[in-house]
mmCIF file of all heavy atoms in Angstrom:
data_model
loop_
_atom_site.group_PDB
_atom_site.id
_atom_site.type_symbol
_atom_site.label_atom_id
_atom_site.label_comp_id
_atom_site.label_asym_id
_atom_site.label_seq_id
_atom_site.Cartn_x
_atom_site.Cartn_y
_atom_site.Cartn_z
ATOM 1 N N ILE D 281 -1.342 6.731 -80.705
ATOM 2 C CA ILE D 281 -1.487 5.838 -81.855
ATOM 3 C C ILE D 281 -2.003 4.480 -81.400
ATOM 4 O O ILE D 281 -2.863 3.864 -82.052
ATOM 5 C CB ILE D 281 -0.140 5.692 -82.582
ATOM 6 C CG1 ILE D 281 0.223 6.992 -83.296
ATOM 7 C CG2 ILE D 281 -0.179 4.528 -83.586
ATOM 8 C CD1 ILE D 281 1.617 7.015 -83.857
ATOM 9 N N GLN D 282 -1.497 4.006 -80.259
ATOM 10 C CA GLN D 282 -1.912 2.715 -79.725
ATOM 11 C C GLN D 282 -3.435 2.628 -79.605
ATOM 12 O O GLN D 282 -4.045 1.573 -79.853
ATOM 13 C CB GLN D 282 -1.276 2.521 -78.348
ATOM 14 C CG GLN D 282 -1.776 1.339 -77.563
ATOM 15 C CD GLN D 282 -1.242 1.319 -76.140
ATOM 16 O OE1 GLN D 282 -0.409 0.494 -75.812
ATOM 17 N NE2 GLN D 282 -1.694 2.244 -75.308
ATOM 18 N N ASP D 283 -4.060 3.734 -79.227
ATOM 19 C CA ASP D 283 -5.501 3.753 -79.021
ATOM 20 C C ASP D 283 -6.294 3.820 -80.322
ATOM 21 O O ASP D 283 -7.523 3.694 -80.293
ATOM 22 C CB ASP D 283 -5.880 4.953 -78.128
ATOM 23 C CG ASP D 283 -5.287 4.841 -76.731
ATOM 24 O OD1 ASP D 283 -5.033 3.706 -76.282
ATOM 25 O OD2 ASP D 283 -5.073 5.891 -76.099
ATOM 26 N N LYS D 284 -5.600 4.018 -81.440
ATOM 27 C CA LYS D 284 -6.297 4.217 -82.712
ATOM 28 C C LYS D 284 -6.059 3.101 -83.717
ATOM 29 O O LYS D 284 -6.574 3.159 -84.836
ATOM 30 C CB LYS D 284 -5.871 5.562 -83.318
ATOM 31 C CG LYS D 284 -6.248 6.754 -82.448
ATOM 32 C CD LYS D 284 -5.636 8.050 -82.975
ATOM 33 C CE LYS D 284 -5.962 9.210 -82.045
ATOM 34 N NZ LYS D 284 -5.284 10.462 -82.437
ATOM 35 N N ILE D 285 -5.250 2.110 -83.354
ATOM 36 C CA ILE D 285 -4.930 1.037 -84.304
ATOM 37 C C ILE D 285 -5.699 -0.229 -83.952
ATOM 38 O O ILE D 285 -6.064 -0.452 -82.810
ATOM 39 C CB ILE D 285 -3.417 0.736 -84.327
ATOM 40 C CG1 ILE D 285 -2.903 0.379 -82.924
ATOM 41 C CG2 ILE D 285 -2.644 1.910 -84.902
ATOM 42 C CD1 ILE D 285 -1.443 -0.014 -82.886
ATOM 43 N N GLY D 286 -5.929 -1.046 -84.972
ATOM 44 C CA GLY D 286 -6.607 -2.319 -84.757
ATOM 45 C C GLY D 286 -5.621 -3.428 -84.425
ATOM 46 O O GLY D 286 -4.422 -3.198 -84.255
ATOM 47 N N ASP D 287 -6.142 -4.639 -84.384
ATOM 48 C CA ASP D 287 -5.320 -5.794 -84.009
ATOM 49 C C ASP D 287 -4.259 -6.138 -85.051
ATOM 50 O O ASP D 287 -3.308 -6.853 -84.749
ATOM 51 C CB ASP D 287 -6.211 -7.018 -83.790
ATOM 52 C CG ASP D 287 -7.141 -6.836 -82.597
ATOM 53 O OD1 ASP D 287 -6.804 -6.022 -81.723
ATOM 54 O OD2 ASP D 287 -8.194 -7.495 -82.554
ATOM 55 N N GLU D 288 -4.422 -5.642 -86.284
ATOM 56 C CA GLU D 288 -3.471 -5.997 -87.347
ATOM 57 C C GLU D 288 -2.220 -5.126 -87.326
ATOM 58 O O GLU D 288 -1.317 -5.314 -88.147
ATOM 59 C CB GLU D 288 -4.137 -5.923 -88.720
ATOM 60 C CG GLU D 288 -4.490 -4.523 -89.212
ATOM 61 C CD GLU D 288 -5.851 -4.031 -88.776
ATOM 62 O OE1 GLU D 288 -6.260 -4.319 -87.635
ATOM 63 O OE2 GLU D 288 -6.503 -3.344 -89.583
ATOM 64 N N VAL D 289 -2.151 -4.164 -86.410
ATOM 65 C CA VAL D 289 -1.002 -3.255 -86.324
ATOM 66 C C VAL D 289 -0.396 -3.358 -84.919
ATOM 67 O O VAL D 289 -1.112 -3.363 -83.921
ATOM 68 C CB VAL D 289 -1.414 -1.801 -86.617
ATOM 69 C CG1 VAL D 289 -0.203 -0.888 -86.548
ATOM 70 C CG2 VAL D 289 -2.085 -1.691 -87.981
ATOM 71 N N LEU D 290 0.941 -3.432 -84.860
ATOM 72 C CA LEU D 290 1.650 -3.508 -83.583
ATOM 73 C C LEU D 290 2.657 -2.367 -83.470
ATOM 74 O O LEU D 290 2.959 -1.691 -84.454
ATOM 75 C CB LEU D 290 2.372 -4.852 -83.450
ATOM 76 C CG LEU D 290 1.501 -6.118 -83.435
ATOM 77 C CD1 LEU D 290 2.383 -7.368 -83.377
ATOM 78 C CD2 LEU D 290 0.536 -6.094 -82.261
ATOM 79 N N LEU D 291 3.184 -2.184 -82.265
ATOM 80 C CA LEU D 291 4.172 -1.152 -81.982
ATOM 81 C C LEU D 291 5.424 -1.800 -81.393
ATOM 82 O O LEU D 291 5.338 -2.819 -80.703
ATOM 83 C CB LEU D 291 3.614 -0.117 -80.999
ATOM 84 C CG LEU D 291 2.249 0.496 -81.351
ATOM 85 C CD1 LEU D 291 1.776 1.413 -80.235
ATOM 86 C CD2 LEU D 291 2.309 1.244 -82.672
ATOM 87 N N LEU D 292 6.589 -1.185 -81.652
ATOM 88 C CA LEU D 292 7.850 -1.737 -81.163
ATOM 89 C C LEU D 292 8.809 -0.593 -80.812
ATOM 90 O O LEU D 292 9.242 0.147 -81.694
ATOM 91 C CB LEU D 292 8.479 -2.633 -82.240
ATOM 92 C CG LEU D 292 9.835 -3.260 -81.926
ATOM 93 C CD1 LEU D 292 9.762 -4.152 -80.685
ATOM 94 C CD2 LEU D 292 10.346 -4.057 -83.120
ATOM 95 N N SER D 293 9.125 -0.447 -79.528
ATOM 96 C CA SER D 293 10.025 0.610 -79.073
ATOM 97 C C SER D 293 11.297 -0.013 -78.520
ATOM 98 O O SER D 293 11.247 -0.814 -77.581
ATOM 99 C CB SER D 293 9.345 1.461 -77.990
ATOM 100 O OG SER D 293 8.258 2.181 -78.530
ATOM 101 N N HIS D 294 12.441 0.375 -79.103
ATOM 102 C CA HIS D 294 13.737 -0.174 -78.709
ATOM 103 C C HIS D 294 14.443 0.775 -77.745
ATOM 104 O O HIS D 294 14.599 1.959 -78.045
ATOM 105 C CB HIS D 294 14.659 -0.327 -79.930
ATOM 106 C CG HIS D 294 14.062 -1.079 -81.075
ATOM 107 N ND1 HIS D 294 13.124 -0.521 -81.919
ATOM 108 C CD2 HIS D 294 14.309 -2.328 -81.544
ATOM 109 C CE1 HIS D 294 12.802 -1.408 -82.853
ATOM 110 N NE2 HIS D 294 13.503 -2.504 -82.641
ATOM 111 N N SER D 295 14.897 0.262 -76.612
ATOM 112 C CA SER D 295 15.694 1.089 -75.701
ATOM 113 C C SER D 295 17.111 1.223 -76.238
ATOM 114 O O SER D 295 17.748 0.236 -76.601
ATOM 115 C CB SER D 295 15.751 0.478 -74.302
ATOM 116 O OG SER D 295 16.710 1.171 -73.510
ATOM 117 N N VAL D 296 17.620 2.463 -76.254
ATOM 118 C CA VAL D 296 19.003 2.687 -76.703
ATOM 119 C C VAL D 296 19.969 2.710 -75.522
ATOM 120 O O VAL D 296 21.174 2.877 -75.697
ATOM 121 C CB VAL D 296 19.129 3.993 -77.526
ATOM 122 C CG1 VAL D 296 18.236 3.921 -78.758
ATOM 123 C CG2 VAL D 296 18.798 5.225 -76.689
ATOM 124 N N THR D 297 19.418 2.540 -74.316
ATOM 125 C CA THR D 297 20.268 2.392 -73.123
ATOM 126 C C THR D 297 19.859 1.099 -72.403
ATOM 127 O O THR D 297 19.361 1.129 -71.269
ATOM 128 C CB THR D 297 20.120 3.596 -72.158
ATOM 129 O OG1 THR D 297 18.739 3.721 -71.782
ATOM 130 C CG2 THR D 297 20.595 4.878 -72.809
ATOM 131 N N PRO D 298 20.057 -0.036 -73.060
ATOM 132 C CA PRO D 298 19.581 -1.300 -72.488
ATOM 133 C C PRO D 298 20.246 -1.663 -71.165
ATOM 134 O O PRO D 298 19.678 -2.424 -70.379
ATOM 135 C CB PRO D 298 19.899 -2.319 -73.581
ATOM 136 C CG PRO D 298 20.984 -1.704 -74.392
ATOM 137 C CD PRO D 298 20.712 -0.235 -74.371
ATOM 138 N N ASN D 299 21.441 -1.120 -70.911
ATOM 139 C CA ASN D 299 22.091 -1.385 -69.630
ATOM 140 C C ASN D 299 21.336 -0.736 -68.466
ATOM 141 O O ASN D 299 21.384 -1.208 -67.332
ATOM 142 C CB ASN D 299 23.535 -0.883 -69.660
ATOM 143 C CG ASN D 299 23.634 0.587 -70.022
ATOM 144 O OD1 ASN D 299 22.936 1.056 -70.925
ATOM 145 N ND2 ASN D 299 24.495 1.327 -69.344
ATOM 146 N N ILE D 300 20.623 0.340 -68.751
ATOM 147 C CA ILE D 300 19.787 1.010 -67.744
ATOM 148 C C ILE D 300 18.361 0.462 -67.772
ATOM 149 O O ILE D 300 17.740 0.238 -66.734
ATOM 150 C CB ILE D 300 19.776 2.534 -67.981
ATOM 151 C CG1 ILE D 300 21.180 3.113 -67.816
ATOM 152 C CG2 ILE D 300 18.783 3.232 -67.054
ATOM 153 C CD1 ILE D 300 21.282 4.571 -68.202
ATOM 154 N N ASP D 301 17.865 0.245 -68.972
ATOM 155 C CA ASP D 301 16.472 -0.171 -69.135
ATOM 156 C C ASP D 301 16.339 -1.692 -69.031
ATOM 157 O O ASP D 301 16.198 -2.408 -70.026
ATOM 158 C CB ASP D 301 15.919 0.345 -70.467
ATOM 159 C CG ASP D 301 15.749 1.854 -70.451
ATOM 160 O OD1 ASP D 301 15.544 2.408 -69.361
ATOM 161 O OD2 ASP D 301 15.812 2.469 -71.528
ATOM 162 N N SER D 302 16.362 -2.154 -67.810
ATOM 163 C CA SER D 302 16.140 -3.574 -67.515
ATOM 164 C C SER D 302 14.671 -3.916 -67.756
ATOM 165 O O SER D 302 13.832 -3.024 -67.987
ATOM 166 C CB SER D 302 16.488 -3.867 -66.064
ATOM 167 O OG SER D 302 15.628 -3.117 -65.203
ATOM 168 N N VAL D 303 14.332 -5.176 -67.678
ATOM 169 C CA VAL D 303 12.941 -5.597 -67.819
ATOM 170 C C VAL D 303 12.075 -4.902 -66.770
ATOM 171 O O VAL D 303 10.986 -4.395 -67.075
ATOM 172 C CB VAL D 303 12.818 -7.132 -67.709
ATOM 173 C CG1 VAL D 303 11.351 -7.556 -67.608
ATOM 174 C CG2 VAL D 303 13.481 -7.814 -68.909
ATOM 175 N N ALA D 304 12.564 -4.868 -65.536
ATOM 176 C CA ALA D 304 11.801 -4.229 -64.461
ATOM 177 C C ALA D 304 11.584 -2.741 -64.728
ATOM 178 O O ALA D 304 10.498 -2.200 -64.491
ATOM 179 C CB ALA D 304 12.518 -4.428 -63.126
ATOM 180 N N GLN D 305 12.623 -2.082 -65.244
ATOM 181 C CA GLN D 305 12.509 -0.650 -65.561
ATOM 182 C C GLN D 305 11.523 -0.424 -66.696
ATOM 183 O O GLN D 305 10.716 0.517 -66.668
ATOM 184 C CB GLN D 305 13.886 -0.086 -65.925
ATOM 185 C CG GLN D 305 13.893 1.367 -66.371
ATOM 186 C CD GLN D 305 13.570 2.354 -65.262
ATOM 187 O OE1 GLN D 305 13.419 1.983 -64.100
ATOM 188 N NE2 GLN D 305 13.454 3.617 -65.621
ATOM 189 N N LEU D 306 11.572 -1.271 -67.711
ATOM 190 C CA LEU D 306 10.641 -1.141 -68.826
ATOM 191 C C LEU D 306 9.198 -1.381 -68.369
ATOM 192 O O LEU D 306 8.275 -0.711 -68.831
ATOM 193 C CB LEU D 306 10.997 -2.126 -69.939
ATOM 194 C CG LEU D 306 12.265 -1.832 -70.744
ATOM 195 C CD1 LEU D 306 12.464 -2.899 -71.824
ATOM 196 C CD2 LEU D 306 12.228 -0.445 -71.379
ATOM 197 N N LYS D 307 9.015 -2.354 -67.473
ATOM 198 C CA LYS D 307 7.663 -2.644 -66.975
ATOM 199 C C LYS D 307 7.119 -1.457 -66.198
ATOM 200 O O LYS D 307 5.945 -1.072 -66.364
ATOM 201 C CB LYS D 307 7.695 -3.886 -66.084
ATOM 202 C CG LYS D 307 6.291 -4.346 -65.656
ATOM 203 C CD LYS D 307 5.455 -4.752 -66.867
ATOM 204 C CE LYS D 307 4.085 -5.255 -66.464
ATOM 205 N NZ LYS D 307 3.256 -5.614 -67.649
ATOM 206 N N LYS D 308 7.948 -0.873 -65.363
ATOM 207 C CA LYS D 308 7.538 0.314 -64.603
ATOM 208 C C LYS D 308 7.130 1.443 -65.556
ATOM 209 O O LYS D 308 6.095 2.097 -65.380
ATOM 210 C CB LYS D 308 8.684 0.763 -63.698
ATOM 211 C CG LYS D 308 8.422 2.009 -62.865
ATOM 212 C CD LYS D 308 9.615 2.282 -61.940
ATOM 213 C CE LYS D 308 9.386 3.527 -61.084
ATOM 214 N NZ LYS D 308 9.458 4.760 -61.895
ATOM 215 N N TYR D 309 7.949 1.668 -66.566
ATOM 216 C CA TYR D 309 7.683 2.708 -67.564
ATOM 217 C C TYR D 309 6.388 2.396 -68.324
ATOM 218 O O TYR D 309 5.567 3.298 -68.562
ATOM 219 C CB TYR D 309 8.859 2.774 -68.523
ATOM 220 C CG TYR D 309 8.876 3.941 -69.471
ATOM 221 C CD1 TYR D 309 9.315 5.195 -69.061
ATOM 222 C CD2 TYR D 309 8.487 3.793 -70.799
ATOM 223 C CE1 TYR D 309 9.362 6.272 -69.943
ATOM 224 C CE2 TYR D 309 8.530 4.850 -71.684
ATOM 225 C CZ TYR D 309 8.964 6.095 -71.258
ATOM 226 O OH TYR D 309 9.016 7.152 -72.141
ATOM 227 N N ALA D 310 6.210 1.132 -68.693
ATOM 228 C CA ALA D 310 5.013 0.718 -69.435
ATOM 229 C C ALA D 310 3.748 0.990 -68.619
ATOM 230 O O ALA D 310 2.743 1.479 -69.157
ATOM 231 C CB ALA D 310 5.110 -0.756 -69.794
#
């Protein structure tokens, strides 16, 4: 979907295990 949307549309994914998903972990995943 990211590849098919224009600048007027954004995406937001919330981690449900924030104690595991640190900023560094999210960056690696990203």
Side-chain angles (χ1 to χ4, degrees):
I281 289 171
Q282 171 188 252
D283 296 334
K284 298 172 183 174
I285 56 176
D287 294 337
E288 70 272 38
V289 181
L290 297 177
L291 308 176
L292 178 60
S293 293
H294 308 76
S295 170
V296 300
T297 58
N299 56 318
I300 297 173
D301 290 333
S302 62
V303 170
Q305 176 69 5
L306 289 181
K307 187 62 178 179
K308 179 176 180 289
Y309 190 80

